[in-house]
């Protein structure tokens, strides 16, 4: 950094501090800051916008602009040049705003006289909380030193904006505009489970009050000391925590290496050499890295950024003597709320007491989420405003299954949570008890019990249930939680993970089943009149064959040397099944020709969930290695009843003559053809319905992990021969539902359906 620029920032920083420490009103302080920036740069006019909720950015101060516009102009984040800066979080120079593709003309804004513009985002914890804009009346090339100076000053402005005083000031505007605080938030579930307790708001970062160092060498020494101590403590902390082995432990190890990384350390030292304090140098090094990595679509690199933020914050803490130990001694349990968190942050708490974790931002691959999950802590993320709204000590109840956070929950919610928590404990105990007992009926029929897998959480059930394998892997779920369409290698890594977890057990991969209620965030869907019977599932992947080919390639590679089971969803006729199967076989042949290692056996099957296919099973079965009944969709199409429509939820019952007859027909046909036949729809996960499946002759069930214990208990208490006779009698009872009779039968025969 040149001395000239350093002088300027020192001067502007002083002026800024004079303004914010003056007795002026806050709005006068805002105006004075805008004027000060104009006076000390080459700008003809200056504006200062603040993000007032997560969607809007509002003009809070201006100089040489129409004064009446202050607090009267708001722009959507992402809209126009300024909204674009708030979204991209990047400094943007525009030579001629009128020619800029995003220029938003608004008659009330007196921008007519201006041409050139430079906008600098005010960043806080990786988010833009405001934008400073400089205008010039002519086409102009802004001085790069001025821009760097303002970027540095924006760090100070950011701290000021985060102060309670300014937050209150901003809140008063938000209230006026009707941004109410809410009592529940919906986010994304990253780790299942229920938990409640007082909030502990995780704030580590301290305001950086001094940007330029008085003594370079003393500063380097400070950095070195803090860095060494931090690493000693991290080593000790991680060695003490008995975390076992697994991905979470690898993450913490990688984090430890990261904290010791020489490249990062040297970058910070370089900025100190340029005249900055250690604190400002850490921020600068982070921002450099952030600018380089934030645009990447690569999730791994993005996670590295979170880790870097965490290590940077930790080091900042050590510089000011705060080693990060957070005292929660007076609390027995609590819920941690953080804007963002690194995996090591979690270890600063007594994690046995953490009942849940709520994050403003985060994905399932985020390291803190993986570690929290390994520790059995429910996690909900992507609740944008929670960090700002929650105060320490405020009661929170977190439903990690559905991704809901209740603020100040009432007694009823707490009671429900207590029951859920008790149920979970009971279920875990039950699972443990049943784990090594055979899934055999009283009349000695061995039932093959598989599990359904979608999210990563489900993988744990493979071990805890001791099931026979995975009867349905819904591959669309990792596609739905990814930020972009996963390429072949990424898919291979997903599929390998499940193969590794399954060991020698069977895994059935279902090809992408998207559309209808399962939408991919990065695809645009043309609004369809009837999406459930629209362009979805195999219809999409047969029409966009490259997607199917890629997925088949990934399946083949992930199961090299093992058995591959592929199942196609929503097949409506033989032609579709043949086309899909052929796609797989061609890919297999291609891989073989490339002399790649291929699976040692390939089984190809289909889901029976579109009624038309039942009437062609005689032709399909000889060409299929297995079938699996998707009772959810089969019922939806049989009864012409939208499965997502609550009004219709009680109207038709799968436990009724038409549905049971079709199920019986399918299993009989499959058995005659000697084709493996299972049920992977929800019926298999509901004890009374699964009981009926056994009575109809089904011997292979794919169950949701959470329901596994209940269904296994039912299996172990039923006599299928007696039940078969009873169901055959019932099949002549043409009433709306047979459920009451079946429940009564279960009672009378002591079949465990609860
Ligand atoms: C079904 O339709 O029953 C099924 C298992 O598939 P999904 O629920 O994923 O549509
Ligand atoms: Mg289905």
């Amino acid at each position: 950094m040149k001395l000239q620029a350093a002088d300027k920032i020192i001067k502007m920083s002083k002026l800024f501090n004079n303004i914010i420490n003056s007795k002026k009103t806050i709005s006068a302080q805002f105006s004075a800051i805008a004027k000060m920036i104009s006076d000390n740069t080459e700008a003809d006019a200056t504006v200062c916008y603040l993000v007032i909720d997560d969607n809007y950015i509002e003009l809070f101060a201006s100089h040489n602009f129409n004064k009446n516009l202050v607090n009267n102009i708001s722009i959507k984040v992402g809209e126009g040049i300024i909204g674009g800066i708030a979204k991209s979080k990047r400094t943007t120079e525009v030579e001629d705003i009128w020619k800029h593709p995003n220029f938003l003309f608004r008659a009330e804004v007196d921008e007519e006289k201006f041409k050139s513009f430079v906008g600098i985002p005010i960043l806080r914890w990786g988010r833009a909380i405001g934008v400073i804009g400089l205008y010039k009346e002519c086409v102009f090339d802004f001085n790069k030193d001025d821009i760097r100076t303002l970027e540095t000053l924006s760090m100070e402005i950011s701290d000021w904006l985060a102060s309670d005083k300014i937050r209150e000031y901003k809140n008063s505007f938000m209230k006026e505009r009707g941004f109410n605080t809410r009592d529940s938030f919906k986010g994304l579930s990253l780790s299942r489970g229920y938990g409640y307790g007082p909030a502990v708001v995780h704030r580590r970062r301290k305001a950086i009050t001094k940007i330029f160092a008085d003594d370079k060498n003393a500063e380097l020494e400070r950095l070195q000391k803090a860095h060494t101590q931090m690493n000693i403590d991290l080593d000790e902390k991680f060695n003490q925590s008995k975390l076992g082995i697994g991905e979470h432990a690898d993450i913490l190890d990688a984090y430890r290496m990261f904290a010791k990384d020489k490249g990062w350390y040297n970058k910070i030292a370089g900025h100190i050499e340029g005249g900055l304090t250690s604190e400002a140098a850490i921020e600068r090094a982070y921002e450099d890295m952030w600018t380089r990595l934030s645009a990447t679509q690569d999730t791994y690199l993005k996670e590295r950024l979170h880790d870097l933020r965490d290590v940077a914050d930790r080091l900042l803490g050590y510089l000011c003597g705060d080693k990060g130990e957070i005292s929660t001694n007076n609390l027995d349990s609590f819920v941690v709320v953080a804007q963002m968190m690194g995996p090591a942050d979690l270890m600063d708490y007594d994690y046995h007491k953490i009942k849940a974790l709520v994050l403003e931002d985060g994905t399932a691959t985020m390291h803190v989420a993986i570690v929290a999950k390994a520790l059995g802590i429910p996690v909900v993320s992507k609740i944008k405003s929670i960090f700002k709204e929650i105060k320490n000590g405020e009661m929170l109840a977190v439903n990690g299954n559905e991704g809901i956070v209740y603020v100040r929950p009432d007694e009823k919610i707490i009671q429900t949570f207590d029951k859920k928590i008790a149920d979970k404990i009971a279920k875990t105990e039950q699972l443990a008890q049943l784990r090594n007992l055979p899934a055999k009926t009283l009349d000695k029929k061995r039932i093959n019990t598989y599990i359904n897998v979608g999210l990563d959480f489900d993988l744990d059930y493979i071990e805890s249930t001791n099931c026979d394998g995975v009867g349905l892997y819904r591959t669309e779920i990792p596609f739905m939680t990814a930020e972009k369409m996963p390429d072949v290698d990424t898919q291979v890594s997903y599929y390998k993970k499940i193969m590794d977890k399954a060991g020698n057990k069977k895994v059935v991969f279902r090809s992408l089943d998207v559309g209808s209620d399962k939408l991919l965030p990065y695809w645009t869907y043309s609004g369809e009149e009837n999406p459930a019977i629209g362009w979805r599932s195999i219809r999409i992947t047969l029409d966009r064959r490259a997607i199917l080919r890629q997925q088949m390639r990934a399946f083949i590679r992930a199961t090299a040397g093992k058995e591959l089971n592929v199942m196609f969803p929503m097949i409506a006729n033989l032609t579709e099944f043949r086309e899909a199967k052929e796609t797989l076989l061609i890919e297999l042949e291609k891989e073989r020709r490339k002399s790649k290692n291929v699976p040692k056996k390939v089984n190809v099957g289909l889901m029976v969930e579109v009624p038309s296919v039942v009437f062609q099973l005689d032709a399909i079965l000889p060409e299929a290695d297995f079938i699996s009944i998707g009772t959810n969709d089969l019922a939806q199409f049989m009864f012409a009843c939208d499965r997502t429509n609550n009004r219709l939820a009680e109207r038709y019952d799968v436990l009724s003559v038409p549905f049971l007859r079709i199920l019986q027909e399918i299993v009989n046909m499959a058995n005659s053809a000697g084709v493996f036949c299972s049920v992977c729809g929800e019926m298999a996960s509901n004890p009374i319905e699964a009981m009926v499946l056994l009575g109809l002759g089904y011997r292979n069930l794919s169950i949701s992990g959470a329901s596994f214990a209940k269904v296994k208990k039912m299996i172990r208490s039923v006599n299928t021969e007696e039940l078969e006779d009873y169901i055959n009698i019932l099949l002549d009872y043409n009433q709306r539902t047979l459920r009451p009779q079946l429940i009564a039968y279960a009672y009378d025969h002591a079949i465990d359906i609860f």
Side-chain angles (χ1 to χ4, degrees), residues 441 447 631 653-665 667-668 679 682-701 711 714-715 718-731 737-746 751-753:
T441 62
I447 309 300
T631 49
D653 195 346
V654 287
L655 297 184
S656 63
V657 170
F659 203 68
L660 298 190
R661 280 204 182 138
I662 196 166
L663 288 177
Q664 195 175 46
E665 175 82 16
V667 72
N668 287 345
V679 175
E682 280 310 298
M683 270 187 93
S685 299
N686 181 322
I688 180 78
E689 293 170 9
M691 175 193 91
V692 176
L693 290 172
L694 300 187
L696 289 169
Y698 286 87
R699 296 293 175 262
N700 306 298
L701 303 180
V711 175
M714 179 280 293
I715 292 171
V718 72
N719 181 320
T720 56
E721 274 166 29
E722 285 173 20
L723 177 65
E724 231 162 86
D725 294 342
Y726 182 65
I727 288 181
N728 280 327
I729 298 168
L730 277 188
L731 283 178
T737 169
L738 302 173
R739 197 170 288 264
Q741 286 85 348
L742 288 159
I743 292 176
Y745 179 89
I751 303 170
D752 212 334
I753 54 163

Side-chain angles (χ1 to χ4, degrees), residues 136 210 271 359-360 410 423 444 507 529 658 676 717 722:
K136 200 75 188 161
K210 197 163 173 228
H271 285 303
L359 300 167
E360 273 206 4
D410 58 25
D423 279 356
K444 307 270 179 287
V507 176
E529 291 272 319
F676 180 94
S717 60
E722 285 173 20

Side-chain angles (χ1 to χ4, degrees), residues 244-484:
I245 49 168
E247 191 185 4
H248 62 291
D250 297 344
I251 285 170
L252 291 171
D253 266 346
Y255 179 95
R256 201 163 9 168
M257 301 314 291
F258 204 40
K260 288 179 183 161
D261 183 59
K262 276 264 170 299
W264 174 60
Y265 183 85
N266 290 342
K267 263 202 192 88
I268 302 171
H271 285 303
I272 295 178
E273 295 283 359
L276 297 184
T277 56
S278 304
E279 286 86 348
I282 292 169
E283 282 306 306
R284 202 78 241 195
Y286 174 76
E287 273 165 27
D288 293 345
M289 191 86 144
W290 190 90
T291 315
R292 268 198 304 125
L293 294 186
S294 59
T296 178
Q297 295 293 333
D298 186 320
T299 340
Y300 175 77
L301 287 180
K302 281 206 163 145
E303 295 316 335
R304 294 260 70 90
L305 262 185
H306 287 306
D307 288 356
L308 179 67
R309 180 69 265 167
D310 187 41
V311 182
D313 286 347
R314 186 169 292 273
L315 189 52
L316 284 171
Y318 271 75
L319 281 166
C320 67
D322 171 7
K323 288 184 168 189
E325 262 100 43
I326 294 150
S327 171
T328 44
N329 290 345
N330 54 341
L331 296 173
D332 293 335
S333 59
F334 50 89
V335 172
V336 178
V337 179
Q339 204 217 9
M340 248 188 320
M341 236 184 158
D345 276 345
L346 215 52
M347 299 292 131
D348 290 336
Y349 298 90
D350 177 352
Y351 62 82
H352 300 100
K353 293 181 177 179
I354 306 179
K355 296 297 159 200
L357 172 63
V358 183
L359 300 167
E360 273 206 4
D361 203 9
T363 56
T365 54
M366 196 179 181
H367 290 162
V368 67
I370 295 171
V371 175
K373 200 186 144 220
L375 301 174
I377 301 170
V379 184
V380 173
S381 82
K382 294 215 181 294
I383 302 188
K384 276 196 170 172
S385 46
I386 197 148
F387 185 69
K388 281 183 280 176
E389 291 193 16
I390 300 304
K391 296 206 166 44
N392 264 325
E394 216 162 359
M395 196 65 173
L396 297 182
V398 180
N399 172 345
N401 290 19
E402 288 168 59
I404 302 172
V405 178
Y406 299 94
V407 184
R408 294 177 294 278
D410 58 25
E411 203 39 44
K412 228 169 98 199
I413 294 177
I414 295 292
Q415 274 168 10
T416 317
F417 270 54
D418 281 338
K419 190 173 173 311
K420 298 273 186 196
I421 294 165
D423 279 356
K424 190 175 170 208
I425 295 169
K427 219 181 272 169
T428 314
E429 282 167 3
Q430 225 179 51
L431 256 186
Q433 279 167 12
L434 284 171
R435 199 183 171 280
N436 296 323
L437 299 176
K440 232 184 215 167
T441 62
L442 294 179
D443 52 327
K444 307 270 179 287
K445 300 263 166 31
R446 169 76 163 84
I447 309 300
N448 295 312
T449 46
Y450 304 92
I451 57 160
N452 293 345
V453 168
L455 286 163
D456 268 5
F457 312 133
D458 298 322
L459 291 178
D460 298 343
Y461 285 117
I462 300 177
E463 162 63 21
S464 63
T465 58
N466 196 18
C467 60
D468 294 306
V470 175
L472 165 65
Y473 175 29
R474 291 183 162 104
T475 60
E476 61 278 5
I477 311 272
F479 277 68
M480 286 159 79
T481 50
E483 285 177 15
K484 59 170 185 160

Side-chain angles (χ1 to χ4, degrees), residues 455-693:
L455 286 163
D456 268 5
F457 312 133
D458 298 322
L459 291 178
D460 298 343
Y461 285 117
I462 300 177
E463 162 63 21
S464 63
T465 58
N466 196 18
C467 60
D468 294 306
V470 175
L472 165 65
Y473 175 29
R474 291 183 162 104
T475 60
E476 61 278 5
I477 311 272
F479 277 68
M480 286 159 79
T481 50
E483 285 177 15
K484 59 170 185 160
M485 188 81 174
D487 59 16
V488 176
D489 288 344
T490 313
Q491 289 188 49
V492 171
S493 69
Y494 295 157
Y495 308 148
K496 266 203 168 138
K497 198 160 153 190
I498 187 167
M499 289 304 287
D500 288 348
K501 279 263 183 184
N504 292 328
K505 292 177 180 177
K506 165 171 163 173
V507 176
V508 179
F509 290 93
R510 177 171 76 182
S511 77
L512 203 58
D513 186 24
V514 290
S516 188
D517 56 334
K518 292 183 249 178
L519 303 180
L520 300 182
Y522 38 85
W523 268 8
T524 35
Y525 294 83
S526 53
E528 294 192 342
E529 291 272 319
N530 296 302
I533 49 171
W535 194 56
R536 58 173 285 205
S537 191
I538 196 74
R539 300 167 185 181
I540 295 182
T541 51
L542 284 177
D543 288 356
R544 298 278 181 272
R545 200 63 68 96
I547 299 171
L548 191 61
R549 272 190 224 114
Q550 284 189 2
Q551 191 171 35
M552 296 303 121
R553 217 173 301 151
F555 287 162
I556 294 165
R557 290 183 189 169
T559 56
K562 300 180 180 169
E563 181 181 289
L564 168 62
N565 299 288
V566 177
M567 161 161 93
F568 297 104
M570 284 283 289
I571 295 287
N573 56 34
L574 175 64
T575 315
E576 283 180 346
F577 179 60
R578 279 187 175 157
E579 279 181 30
K581 182 173 171 177
E582 195 186 25
T583 310
L584 166 64
L585 297 181
I586 290 173
E587 286 310 308
L588 187 65
E589 190 49 35
K590 277 199 223 156
E591 292 288 294
R592 252 192 212 119
R593 285 197 189 158
K594 281 190 222 155
S595 322
K596 293 231 161 127
N597 189 7
V598 293
K600 67 170 192 270
K601 186 163 193 296
V602 177
N603 299 314
V604 192
L606 66 144
M607 291 200 61
V608 175
E609 52 184 350
V610 178
S612 60
V613 93
V614 181
F615 298 92
Q616 216 177 13
L617 270 185
D618 53 344
I620 293 175
L621 285 169
E623 298 185 25
D625 297 308
F626 64 94
I627 58 171
S628 190
I629 327 294
T631 49
N632 311 337
D633 275 318
L634 186 61
Q636 144 159 285
F637 300 130
M638 275 276 289
F639 293 112
C641 170
D642 181 350
R643 70 193 246 190
T644 62
N645 188 331
N646 282 336
R647 276 173 122 173
L648 300 174
E650 307 268 295
R651 195 171 186 97
Y652 306 103
D653 195 346
V654 287
L655 297 184
S656 63
V657 170
F659 203 68
L660 298 190
R661 280 204 182 138
I662 196 166
L663 288 177
Q664 195 175 46
E665 175 82 16
I666 297 167
V667 72
N668 287 345
M669 278 202 276
N671 287 345
S672 311
V675 172
F676 180 94
C677 168
S678 69
V679 175
C680 61
E682 280 310 298
M683 270 187 93
S685 299
N686 181 322
I688 180 78
E689 293 170 9
M691 175 193 91
V692 176
L693 290 172

